[in-house]
Amino acid sequence: MRTGMNLLLWTAHVDDAHAPLLAELAEAGFDGVEIPLFEGDAAHYRTVRAELDRAGLACTTVTVAEPAANAVSPDAAVRAAFVERMRWAVEISEILGSDVLCGPLHQALGEFSGRGATADEQHRAAEALRAAGEVAEGSGVTLAVEYLNRFECYFLNTAAAARELVEAVGHASVRAMYDTFHAHIEEKSQVGAIRTVAPVLAHFHVSENDRGAPGSGQVRFDEAFATLREVGYDGWITIEAFGSALPDLAAATRIWRPLFERESDVYGEGLALIRLYAASC
């Protein structure tokens, strides 16, 4: 088990100005960080990798689908753009040394059809993700598709749906991830949801029900971590929280009020919680 901290709490674009932050997180005891991928070229991310090396940190990566590069779109050109976006993200992930590229890769955030997922959308998503898996094959990067709550995404909202999609994709480079925040909204229990997704689970996000400091809210982390041990999960456990530092992201994630006093509260309390419950993961 390795511990990580998602850098979206501070920035959507990591550069050498974040070197002190990387050092701070390494000093706190994290094994790595989660690097957001929204823009930038190979040369830029080689400098980021150098900063990670200086801090002694490994990393995972995170990105999202976009309206113009959307796996569920009925437009073949948009689905092709999705595959090319995944090609870029996989290339950058390789440069960074990331072994997991996670996030809602399947559908553009905040876009709704007014109904649930259709069979045609499921078929298109599986086909596009299979093509993305072929891009990732041999790279050492696993694509971990994240299901979101119904208020952010209509296509994939539960552990059962995520497992069904990954099994339909049928490619070893495409797996699923689990986020305690989304599960708190959509699932009957953390235990049942983790057991359901376990056969395809490749990444795990620790996030409180209000996106504040883990352990300060209602998520039953004791049950979640006990179930991770039960199913034999041994991958990354990464903290994700959002604040007001990034206005666009705060708007997208509906962060309207302060959820913690300091960012250090989030990663300090979160890491302590992981060490408390996941020592044997």
Side-chain angles (χ1 to χ4, degrees), residues 37-38 63-66 69 81-90:
L37 300 184
F38 297 112
T63 194
V64 300
E66 298 179 336
F82 161 80
V83 176
E84 290 309 303
R85 177 172 171 77
M86 289 298 100
R87 189 184 307 279
W88 167 79
V90 167

Side-chain angles (χ1 to χ4, degrees), residues 60-141:
T60 56
T61 43
V62 58
T63 194
V64 300
E66 298 179 336
N70 189 345
V72 302
S73 173
D75 187 330
V78 173
R79 297 196 304 277
F82 161 80
V83 176
E84 290 309 303
R85 177 172 171 77
M86 289 298 100
R87 189 184 307 279
W88 167 79
V90 167
E91 176 190 351
I92 299 304
S93 295
E94 279 192 276
I95 289 169
L96 288 167
S98 166
D99 56 349
V100 174
L101 170 61
C102 72
L105 310 177
H106 52 287
Q107 184 217 321
L109 289 174
E111 289 200 344
F112 297 92
S113 64
R115 47 164 171 68
T118 67
D120 285 344
E121 286 172 329
Q122 291 168 337
H123 175 77
R124 291 195 294 265
E127 184 180 65
L129 284 164
R130 191 176 306 116
E134 290 169 0
V135 167
E137 187 173 359
S139 68
V141 179

Side-chain angles (χ1 to χ4, degrees), residues 147-165:
Y147 73 88
L148 305 184
N149 69 79
R150 77 194 86 164
F151 308 107
E152 296 180 36
C153 165
Y154 75 90
F155 177 72
L156 203 66
N157 301 131
T158 65
R163 177 175 172 177
E164 182 180 358
L165 176 62

